[in-house]
Each structure stands twice: as C-alpha cells, then as structure tokens.
Amino acid sequence: MDTVKLTPRLQCVADCIEECSLLADVGTDHAYIPIYAVQKGIAKNAIAGDVVKGPLKIAEANIKAHGLEDKITTRLANGLESAKGADVIVIAGMGGKLICTILQENDETAKNADYMVIQPMTCSFELRRFLHNNKYKIIDEKLAREEDKIYSIMVVGKGEENFDDEFYYHVGKKLFENRDPLLSRYIRMRAEVIKKQFMGMKASENPQLHTKAAYLEKMYKRFIKEADDYDKGC
C-alpha cells in the first residue's frame, strides 16, 4: 500500500514528530497523521481519536485500507480522553481557543506526554498566552503554506517560559530564531488582519473602540517594522 499523501500543513505537523512508542492524534478526522507516522516507522503504534462518530468511521476505513488495524486504534472520546497513555500527542486543525479548552480539561494527560505538536487554525495569540500561563513551553515552531494561507505548527512541552515582549505572543519567537522562510509573509498577512480591525474601529462612534483602535494601529506598525527588518536581514 502506498504511503498516505499529506497536505503541506499536515506534512509539517508530521515532520515535527520524532520516533515514539505511542502517538495520539486528537480530532483525527481521516487519520492521515497516524497512518503516515506508522507507515514511516515514526510511531510504533498510534491512536486515532475523535469526538464525532462520522469522522471516526472514515478514519477506521482508511486505517483498514492501509492494513494498519493492528497498529492504529480508534477511540471515540472527547478531547484528550482519547490520548491517555500516549508519549506524543497531536492536536491539529482546530481553533486556538478550543485547543486551550482541551488542554485545560485534561492537563494531566497533556503533561504526561513527552511533548505535543499543536497546529491552531485561529487565535494563536491566545494559545501561546495560555500555554505560558499553564506551565508549558514552546520548544519549536514552524510555518506551513497551503494555497493562500500560512499555518503555525508548535512543538510544546511542560515547563516554565514567558515572553518579555508581547509581540512574540502574536508571532512566535522560535520563528525568528529559526529564520523561517515564510515568516515575513506570515507577519504581513497578520498585519493586514489587524489593519482591517482598527480601521473598522476608527469608523465607529464608540470612544472605547477608538482607544482599542489606537493600540491595534500601534501594533500594526510594529508588525510592518518587524517584517521590513526581517527582509533586510535575509
């Protein structure tokens, strides 16, 4: 059976996984990550977990089609309930706030793992802040481009860490340390989102929104400066 083909986003997630005994993919959907990891010998065994029966049935069919029923177990469970006993946990393709909730509801399972690979679709600022407030550290971070979108993939472990500059909660510090080739584009895309937000607030008659708009406009200028400085250093 041919190795399952991953999208650029999922390939980046898979590339962050090192050899392990038991991999758990939370919200597995089609079970592509567990199948790939077992096929490549990255994981000896894997768990494909999901809270919804429909996706889990698709996962089971894909696992069977690749002849991996003896290596990959499916679990119908909420959040990290499916990941108990895993030494590596993947949480990919969910909103950042939902990921925070999942970690908060089962902190013990998360911290019993050697590390997690987390890929938020939204709210990366809130996620990074949550991780630091709950005794996690960001070990590594990479970017993946898929069509017109750029995604952040974080490798997270237990430990103490904080950023003394709030900007790095918006754009991960490890991305700068790694000189990620997509970083400038990523910063500028994030800046455009902020620009739309503060421009809309400026048009409002609510003075409280004007105060927030001033803060966001200042942040926008910081984003542009960081992108320009990064480009000059390349």
Side-chain angles (χ1 to χ4, degrees):
M1 181 64 65
D2 292 338
T3 302
V4 67
K5 184 174 176 58
L6 302 179
T7 65
R9 175 179 65 89
L10 291 182
Q11 185 64 61
C12 191
V13 170
D15 290 343
C16 291
I17 304 169
E18 297 181 355
E19 288 189 13
C20 59
S21 296
L22 182 61
L23 168 72
D25 184 27
V26 177
T28 195
D29 200 10
H30 291 77
Y32 291 147
I33 290 290
I35 291 170
Y36 179 91
V38 171
Q39 285 183 325
K40 289 290 186 178
I42 300 168
K44 292 180 181 177
N45 295 281
I47 300 163
D50 211 295
V51 70
V52 182
K53 289 182 179 180
L56 203 62
K57 285 186 177 180
I58 295 172
E60 289 171 351
N62 286 336
I63 293 165
K64 185 176 181 179
H66 287 84
L68 296 174
E69 303 99 310
D70 61 330
K71 296 288 186 179
I72 305 174
T73 303
T74 59
R75 290 183 184 174
L76 180 66
N78 185 38
L80 292 177
E81 288 296 319
S82 66
K84 289 183 177 180
D87 43 338
V88 177
I89 297 171
V90 171
I91 310 175
M94 301 182 195
K97 290 183 179 180
L98 176 56
I99 294 172
C100 293
T101 299
I102 288 171
L103 295 177
Q104 194 167 36
E105 288 178 346
N106 209 321
D107 182 73
E108 184 178 356
T109 297
K111 286 179 177 170
N112 280 339
D114 293 339
Y115 60 91
M116 297 180 288
V117 181
I118 299 176
Q119 183 268 302
M121 301 297 280
T122 59
C123 302
S124 56
F125 173 89
E126 290 85 350
L127 176 58
R128 291 188 188 94
R129 180 75 77 185
F130 171 88
L131 291 171
H132 282 176
N133 288 343
N134 289 273
K135 297 185 178 180
Y136 293 98
K137 61 181 178 180
I138 301 168
I139 301 167
D140 199 7
E141 188 166 354
K142 299 178 182 180
L143 296 172
R145 182 180 179 185
E146 206 166 283
E147 296 179 352
D148 61 341
K149 295 182 180 179
I150 296 178
Y151 300 96
S152 169
I153 296 93
M154 308 174 197
V155 179
V156 175
K158 53 184 176 288
E160 298 282 349
E161 180 183 54
N162 281 289
F163 297 145
D164 54 8
D165 187 339
E166 188 174 277
F167 176 77
Y168 293 121
Y169 287 102
H170 288 277
V171 181
K173 192 172 186 180
K174 287 292 182 182
L175 298 174
F176 286 89
E177 294 176 3
N178 293 336
R179 305 298 295 173
D180 194 289
L182 292 171
L183 182 54
S184 176
R185 186 188 293 268
Y186 179 66
I187 295 172
R188 294 184 193 280
M189 288 174 68
R190 294 292 307 278
E192 284 304 307
V193 172
I194 292 174
K195 184 177 181 180
K196 288 179 182 178
Q197 289 174 339
F198 78 71
M199 291 297 287
M201 292 176 184
K202 277 186 171 183
S204 171
E205 295 181 0
N206 186 337
Q208 291 182 337
L209 288 181
H210 292 174
T211 301
K212 189 172 182 179
Y215 166 79
L216 289 176
E217 186 170 9
K218 183 179 179 181
M219 183 60 66
Y220 168 78
K221 291 176 180 178
R222 171 73 186 276
F223 270 58
I224 296 302
K225 182 181 183 302
E226 291 287 346
D228 287 344
D229 290 347
Y230 186 82
D231 288 339
K232 290 174 184 176
C234 291

